[in-house]
Amino acid sequence: MNLKLVNVFAIVGLVLFFEGCSFSKDNIKSVVQTNSAVEIVKYKNEIVSTLIDYKKKLDIRNPYSYNKILSKDIIKQIEENQDYINIRQDKKKLKTYDEYLHYALLDKEITNRNDFLIIGLYKLIYKAYSLQDKHKFTALEHNKFELLKLYEYMQVLRWKIRTQKDVNGNYLFNTWQNNWQLEFLHKDKNDLNIIKDLQYIKSNKETILSPSNFSFEILFSKMILNVEYTLKKINIEPYSMSASAIRSFIFIL
């Protein structure tokens, strides 16, 4: 082949290559966004899986606070990314996550409190990650407002689960507490000697030095962390709510 002809082909090839590079700038951006969307799906799956683990653990620790007949259906709904279970309370069918979380954290006696918490939290996740839409091709298609709301709500829930009590002074959810601490709630705090007569201390099942159960905190924090990762993928910097904002937060019907 003529040397000049080879040079021409080479030059044309280089021109096409560089034109292709400039043209593919948007394509590269699209690939990055698609990769971010794949990462977000991974975070979502981890959140959903952790929520199921949290429900199972919560039901074991609070065995009289959930509907055993409904339990499998709730888990199945979460596993399949569906949203069809709605509980009736006070003669009306609850639909929104605010309604469920309101009853989950109400200080009066509530039957099946665990279910209100889990369903309310799941409905938050369902809306934030648009689980009804199976195809999110880019990270920017995700709803920034709802994801940020999920992040804020979860910070509030983590604190309220840990601290909230009902009108009788009992914790709404038993999670981190040792059994002797739950016994001690209704004893005379002025007489610390009574601790040695508490059932779980007296039977040597626990001691005052027994470590608290942080597994609930770990699971909940894991969910929050995956929401943080998601926010960063859509160019939102996560932030921690102030203690006063968390304490004053109310889930309104």
Side-chain angles (χ1 to χ4, degrees):
M1 183 180 291
N2 188 293
L3 185 59
K4 288 184 178 180
L5 188 60
V6 172
N7 289 337
V8 169
F9 282 135
I11 291 170
V12 171
L14 285 172
V15 170
L16 291 174
F17 173 78
F18 286 114
E19 283 186 352
C21 286
S22 61
F23 174 76
S24 66
K25 205 170 183 181
D26 289 336
N27 292 346
I28 292 172
K29 184 177 179 181
S30 177
V31 169
V32 170
Q33 282 297 325
T34 303
N35 287 341
S36 293
V38 171
E39 289 293 302
I40 289 174
V41 170
K42 184 184 76 172
Y43 302 144
K44 180 269 294 181
N45 288 339
E46 289 184 0
I47 292 170
V48 168
S49 176
T50 304
L51 179 61
I52 292 172
D53 291 340
Y54 191 90
K55 170 182 166 44
K56 291 177 179 178
K57 195 171 189 63
L58 190 69
D59 291 346
I60 291 173
R61 188 74 177 93
N62 302 265
Y64 304 108
S65 297
Y66 75 103
N67 186 325
K68 294 176 176 59
I69 297 175
L70 195 59
S71 182
K72 289 183 179 180
D73 287 328
I74 292 176
I75 291 175
K76 182 180 179 182
Q77 171 185 256
I78 297 172
E79 288 175 335
E80 297 180 353
N81 291 347
Q82 300 293 317
D83 182 22
Y84 56 84
I85 294 178
N86 291 298
I87 297 176
R88 296 191 68 85
Q89 180 70 20
D90 294 340
K91 298 181 180 180
K92 68 175 182 178
K93 183 183 290 186
L94 306 185
K95 296 181 180 179
T96 69
Y97 48 73
D98 279 314
E99 290 174 323
Y100 282 94
L101 296 176
H102 167 81
Y103 284 108
L105 299 166
L106 207 58
D107 62 1
K108 69 176 186 179
E109 184 177 346
I110 293 292
T111 304
N112 303 327
R113 189 184 296 275
N114 293 4
D115 297 338
F116 288 105
L117 175 66
I118 298 301
I119 293 177
L121 183 50
Y122 174 67
K123 284 181 178 290
L124 261 173
I125 296 166
Y126 186 89
K127 188 168 185 179
Y129 282 92
S130 301
L131 299 188
Q132 75 281 359
D133 184 357
K134 302 298 182 183
H135 305 288
K136 287 282 187 232
F137 294 108
T138 70
L140 295 181
E141 289 184 62
H142 287 274
N143 191 319
K144 295 182 179 182
F145 174 77
E146 293 297 342
L147 284 165
L148 191 56
K149 180 185 285 188
L150 171 63
Y151 183 59
E152 293 173 344
Y153 271 43
M154 291 188 79
Q155 291 181 68
V156 173
L157 286 170
R158 179 171 57 183
W159 183 81
K160 288 185 178 290
I161 291 169
R162 187 195 305 148
T163 63
Q164 291 283 87
K165 295 179 182 178
D166 63 19
V167 291
N168 298 315
N170 297 307
Y171 285 100
L172 299 183
F173 301 97
N174 296 334
T175 54
W176 59 269
Q177 310 90 339
N178 287 310
N179 290 297
W180 74 264
Q181 291 170 306
L182 297 175
E183 285 185 80
F184 190 59
L185 278 177
H186 301 290
K187 302 296 183 181
D188 182 5
K189 304 300 187 296
N190 294 317
D191 182 12
L192 295 180
N193 290 321
I194 203 169
I195 292 177
K196 68 178 184 299
D197 293 322
L198 297 175
Q199 177 185 344
Y200 281 84
I201 298 294
K202 199 170 184 178
S203 63
N204 294 319
K205 292 180 180 178
E206 295 176 350
T207 73
I208 59 172
L209 299 178
S210 296
S212 298
N213 186 350
F214 286 107
S215 58
F216 288 94
E217 188 78 9
I218 291 170
L219 287 174
F220 212 95
S221 295
K222 181 180 177 182
M223 288 189 283
I224 292 178
L225 191 60
N226 277 297
V227 179
E228 286 185 6
Y229 293 154
T230 301
L231 290 173
K232 290 178 180 179
K233 287 293 182 182
I234 59 174
N235 301 320
I236 295 179
E237 188 61 34
Y239 66 91
S240 297
M241 295 176 65
S242 67
S244 59
I246 289 176
R247 289 191 181 95
S248 61
F249 194 97
I250 299 174
F251 296 100
I252 301 173
L253 280 174

